[in-house]
Each structure stands twice: as C-alpha cells, then as structure tokens.
Amino acid sequence: MIKNFLNFEWKQFARSSYFQKGIAIKILLALAVLYFGGIALLVGAGLFFILKKAIPETDPLILVNNFLIFWFIFDLALRFFMQQLPVMNVKPLMIVPVKRTTIINYLLGKTALSFFNFLPLFVFVPFSIVLLVQGYPVLNVVCWFFAMLFLVLSNNFINFLINKSNTYFYVLISVLAIFIGLEFLNIYKVSAPIGVAFNTLYNNPILSIIPLVLMVVLYAVNFNFIKKEFYLDDAVSKKVKEVNAIDLSWMNRFGSVAVFLKNDVKLIYRNARPRQVMMMSFLFLFYGLIFYTQETYKNMPAFLAFASIFVTGGFLLTFGQLVPSWDSEYYKMLMSQNIPYKKYLESKWYLMVVAVAVSFVLSTPYIYFGWKIYGMIAAGALFNIGLNSFITLFGGALNRVPIELNVKAKAFSNTNGFNPTQMLIALPKMVLPMLLFYVPYKFISFEAGLITLGLSGVLGIVFKGFFLNKIEQLYQKGKYKTLAAYNEK
C-alpha cells in the first residue's frame, strides 16, 4: 500500500500544471541542500577542534552539551516557519477499503524524510566520528549520537503539533527569548543544569532510552490526533461559525479600493493564519537590535541598511509576499467581477504602505542609537514604500501556491503557501537597498548613501502609476494559469 501511495503522489506531481516549474525549483533546492549540507559537514568535523582551541580548559563535548538546548529550541522555531508538513489528498481514500492506520503512518513517516531531520546529522555524524578518533568511549559516543537522533525526530513531531496551535509557538518563542536573555545577561546560566542533563545522558548510555521513549510518545500523540479527525463527515460537513462583524465604514474614504481593503482587514481579523503572520511581522521591529548593538556592524554600514529594511518591512516581507495567495479560496469570484485589476493591486499596495508607516512610527525608540541610525531606518521605510512594495507585488504574479485559511486542516492539505520562487524574488529586496546605499557611501559619504536610498523610494512613489500598470499586465497575462493552479488543491 505504501508503494501505491508513492505512485499516486508521483502521478499527481507529474500531471500537474506546475510539473516543469517544480522540476526546476527542485534542482535549485537540491543545490541548496548540497551547499548547506557541505557547510554543516565542515562545522561538524571542525567543531571539536575549534572549541578545543577557543576554550582549552573545558572538554568540547561538555561545551556542546551545555548549549544543545538552544540548538533544539531554535531548530523547532525554524521548522515552524520553513518545514512543509506532509501533504496528501485523503478524502478519496476515506471511502475505499484502506486502513486509516496505514494512511496515518505513511503521513507521519514522510516527515522523517525532511531536510530538517538530515541537516543535524551532517553535524552530529562527523562530530561523533571525531570524538571516536580522539579516544572517547565507543559505547558512550554511539548512544549519545542515537539520543541526539531521537531528539531531532522528537522535534519533528513536536513541530507537527505546534503547527495546529499558535499558542504552542508563542510559548516556544517566549521560552527561547527568556533562556537567551538569562544566559547572555548573566542572570542565570540556563546552560548549566541542562548541560548537566546532557552530560549525564552521555556518561550513562542506558539513559539514551529516554529520548527514544519521548520520540515514540510524540509519534503516538500525533497518530491519535490525526486519527481522531480522520472521518469523512468531519472533512465534508459544513461548520456553522458566528462571524464577528467589525465596522469598517471609515475606509470608504479610500474610494474604489475601499472594498478590497475591507476584505483584507476582515481576512486578517477572522482567520488564524494571516493573523499569525501579522503578529509575527511585529517581531521584525526588533531586528535592528541584532545589528545596531554590535560594534562589528558599525564598520559595515551596508549591513545596517539591510537591517533597516527589515525593521519597517516586516508586514511587507511576510504578508505581502503571499499576495495574491491569500485570496486563493475565492480568487475565481474576484476575477469574475467587473472591477479593474489595477484597483485590486492598488489596495494591496496601500495595505503595505500603511503597515510600513505604522512600523516606522513604532521604530522611534531607535533614536537612542543616534540620528544616523534613525535616518537609515527612515530611508529604508521610503525604499520599502516606493520600491520594495512593487517588487513584492511583482513576485506575487509568480506565486501560484494556494493558501487554505483553515489552519486546522494543515495536516492534510497544503496550507503553507511557501514557494521557493519567493526566495529568489526576495534577493533583490535585500541586495538592492544595500547596493543603493553602499555605492554612494563608498565614493561620497554616509549621508549620500542615505539620500540615495531614500530618493529611490520617492521615485517609486512618483512613478506609482507606471509600476502598477506594468505589474497589472503581468497579472493579466498569467491570470488563467493562476486560476488553474488555485484549483489544484
């Protein structure tokens, strides 16, 4: 039966309209896997010697064990955003004589093949080999390695659960922030007791059974969670929900684009997925603290320009990059209306502009780092409004991955809306502002770099109509391809 499932998925992929595009993207992803996998191998092979040279008085393995907790929590947060959960159209299988347990085991088994499960192995395998070469006990090292493997897979199944509830994710992020704050502010060394636990696990090989039991328990929890909702009547029945009405009449002042703006505000207000993205975009305001507080980056102003784009561009870079996928569930209805496509795109532009403006106001405390830093944030805000917004809308024309706003259905349908094409479109959003700032900064002055970056955004605003017309033509050209792609759910 597993062989049949694999055959079904291959046929679904090969017969889809995005087959050729999918092949090209998978080649790029394979190259990315080789690149990051190679880096991980080098890190794993050299980690022992790097730590030995940096802190010769402490055993490198003890250092690694002390900070493993940060690795696993960060890995879990990264999985939440990047790891695609297993996707399978299960409704047709519900009415044929196939055991539910077989389907669920297949779905959960697919998660073990994720790149996020293999990447840690590229570090742990060479690191463990180095430990053996250095004379560490074979049994202890082997059991420690398998314990790490079980914990990586446990993270995989935890991610499967937290993707069903935003509450788990917010708790996770809060715990990570608290741990890092306590550690680096020297309030309490979180690494000490947790490091003792991992060191004890290494010193007592029999304890490696604990991570194994944890992995099995999490697998069982996921299995029961899916099985509980694996019923045809639950999949096809309509659920009546009370809609919370909000008064948006004040938006009528925006004229013909008001109807689209109201629709977007209601979409964010009523659905968990866009609401979650909006909340996470708020965290981008703190991105500057990574760069502005470090002396190293003060000598690399191009990276400060990079950070400034993120401070005010959180909503644009998260919510904006998924336009028009947010409307995929009713895109056919929108396209059948007698409305100018340009108005639809203009409403998205206004939404991003307002978000950038609000973020800029909220970034006022960065004045603490000096007027030059705040001036860079202001220039970055203008760039986001005048150019990044149009680059984002342009990327939307190439994004044909549908989004299902019902997060609860995430285990059985593609709700990620993630497309590797977005990664390619993201490059000019990051590289262009750095170039616009760095070239005049290098040959003239810091202020010249700020003015160039800010003026590029002003020019974008001046030629707004021109850019929207060109982007509209691109959307119109791919309109029916987009509609066909949104039907492939």
Side-chain angles (χ1 to χ4, degrees):
M1 185 52 66
I2 301 298
K3 180 181 178 181
N4 290 333
F5 287 159
L6 292 172
N7 188 34
F8 291 156
E9 293 205 41
W10 168 251
K11 288 180 179 178
Q12 182 182 13
F13 171 68
R15 294 171 180 175
S16 65
S17 62
Y18 50 81
F19 173 70
Q20 292 180 343
K21 179 182 176 183
I23 289 291
I25 289 174
K26 279 177 171 52
I27 292 173
L28 291 175
L29 288 178
L31 294 175
V33 167
L34 291 175
Y35 174 75
F36 289 109
I39 292 176
L41 282 172
L42 291 175
V43 170
L47 184 60
F48 180 92
F49 305 102
I50 294 171
L51 294 176
K52 190 70 175 177
K53 184 177 181 180
I55 312 175
E57 66 275 8
T58 307
D59 187 338
L61 180 58
I62 293 177
L63 289 172
V64 170
N65 283 335
N66 286 347
F67 290 93
L68 274 176
I69 184 63
F70 295 100
W71 167 286
F72 285 116
I73 295 179
F74 176 75
D75 173 63
L76 197 53
L78 189 64
R79 286 171 185 268
F80 182 87
F81 286 108
M82 300 293 293
Q83 184 179 7
Q84 278 194 292
L85 295 182
V87 176
M88 188 175 182
N89 185 10
V90 298
K91 289 182 183 179
L93 300 175
M94 290 179 173
I95 56 175
V96 295
V98 178
K99 290 184 178 180
R100 287 183 297 164
T101 55
T102 303
I103 300 173
I104 298 171
N105 283 323
Y106 173 73
L107 279 170
L108 292 175
K110 281 179 64 178
T111 64
L113 301 178
S114 170
F115 172 68
F116 290 92
N117 294 329
F118 285 103
L119 186 61
L121 295 183
F122 290 145
V123 176
F124 288 130
V125 169
F127 183 72
S128 299
I129 293 174
V130 171
L131 290 177
L132 293 173
V133 171
Q134 293 296 318
Y136 285 74
V138 176
L139 179 62
N140 296 61
V141 171
V142 171
C143 290
W144 178 86
F145 169 77
F146 278 104
M148 296 304 104
L149 176 61
F150 297 145
L151 289 174
V152 167
L153 292 174
S154 297
N155 251 13
N156 178 73
F157 295 126
I158 291 174
N159 179 53
F160 205 95
L161 291 174
I162 66 175
N163 267 270
K164 311 298 183 299
S165 173
N166 295 332
T167 303
Y168 292 116
F169 174 72
Y170 295 135
V171 170
L172 175 70
I173 288 295
S174 300
V175 169
L176 178 60
I178 292 171
F179 279 9
I180 292 176
L182 291 174
E183 183 76 26
F184 290 97
L185 294 177
N186 293 319
I187 298 173
Y188 177 74
K189 289 291 183 181
V190 177
S191 60
I194 297 176
V196 169
F198 279 110
N199 287 322
T200 303
L201 188 149
Y202 166 77
N203 292 323
N204 299 275
I206 189 65
L207 294 180
S208 60
I209 196 173
I210 296 176
L212 174 61
V213 171
L214 176 63
M215 182 191 70
V216 172
V217 169
L218 287 170
Y219 185 95
V221 170
N222 277 282
F223 184 92
N224 291 329
F225 180 88
I226 298 175
K227 187 177 180 181
K228 186 171 62 176
E229 299 186 358
F230 202 92
Y231 292 96
L232 186 61
D233 54 352
D234 184 66
V236 301
S237 62
K238 294 184 178 179
K239 298 175 178 58
V240 179
K241 287 182 65 178
E242 182 179 347
V243 177
N244 296 322
I246 52 177
D247 182 16
L248 299 176
S249 57
W250 58 273
M251 283 190 170
N252 293 332
R253 69 188 67 182
F254 290 100
S256 55
V257 300
V259 62
F260 300 111
L261 288 173
K262 290 179 182 179
N263 186 62
D264 286 328
V265 172
K266 290 175 182 176
L267 180 140
I268 295 172
Y269 179 73
R270 293 173 178 173
N271 297 280
R273 175 85 192 278
R275 191 165 60 244
Q276 168 200 325
V277 169
M278 187 190 70
M279 293 295 294
M280 291 309 302
S281 68
F282 175 76
L283 296 180
F284 278 69
L285 283 168
F286 302 97
Y287 196 85
L289 296 175
I290 301 174
F291 291 86
Y292 303 149
T293 57
Q294 303 294 325
E295 289 293 331
T296 305
Y297 293 111
K298 291 183 180 179
N299 298 321
M300 297 185 291
F303 284 96
L304 297 182
F306 173 82
S308 300
I309 298 301
F310 277 77
V311 169
T312 59
F315 185 83
L316 181 148
L317 295 169
T318 54
F319 185 92
Q321 72 170 349
L322 295 177
V323 172
S325 291
W326 293 116
D327 304 315
S328 59
E329 292 191 354
Y330 47 88
Y331 200 68
K332 283 195 291 187
M333 183 273 291
L334 283 176
M335 294 301 101
S336 66
Q337 304 298 306
N338 186 23
I339 51 176
Y341 214 136
K342 184 177 178 181
K343 294 297 180 183
Y344 171 79
L345 295 173
E346 191 175 8
S347 71
K348 305 297 183 184
W349 184 81
Y350 275 122
L351 194 67
M352 289 186 281
V353 167
V354 170
V356 171
V358 171
S359 297
F360 176 65
V361 173
L362 294 176
S363 69
T364 303
Y366 279 111
I367 293 176
Y368 171 81
F369 295 102
W371 287 103
K372 282 189 174 182
I373 293 296
Y374 193 64
M376 186 169 284
I377 293 175
L382 285 173
F383 176 84
N384 280 330
I385 291 173
L387 285 183
N388 245 359
S389 56
F390 295 117
I391 296 173
T392 300
L393 289 176
F394 169 81
L398 307 177
N399 179 24
R400 300 191 177 106
V401 180
I403 292 178
E404 291 189 15
L405 301 176
N406 182 7
V407 179
K408 192 175 183 181
K410 199 165 189 178
F412 302 122
S413 53
N414 187 357
T415 62
N416 288 327
F418 176 76
N419 186 340
T421 305
Q422 297 166 10
M423 298 176 66
L424 302 178
I425 297 298
L427 289 177
K429 297 180 188 178
M430 301 175 187
V431 177
L432 183 58
M434 296 173 69
L435 290 175
L436 287 173
F437 171 81
Y438 184 75
V439 174
Y441 159 77
K442 187 68 175 178
F443 294 100
I444 306 176
S445 66
F446 183 91
E447 289 73 16
L450 288 185
I451 293 172
T452 303
L453 183 60
L455 279 180
S456 66
V458 172
L459 287 174
I461 297 173
V462 171
F463 291 99
K464 167 193 160 189
F466 171 80
F467 286 129
L468 282 178
N469 285 333
K470 292 297 181 181
I471 295 172
E472 180 191 10
Q473 293 174 12
L474 191 62
Y475 273 80
Q476 291 282 16
K477 185 177 180 181
K479 175 179 176 179
Y480 295 103
K481 288 182 180 180
T482 303
L483 289 170
Y486 287 166
N487 283 331
E488 293 181 3
K489 294 185 179 181

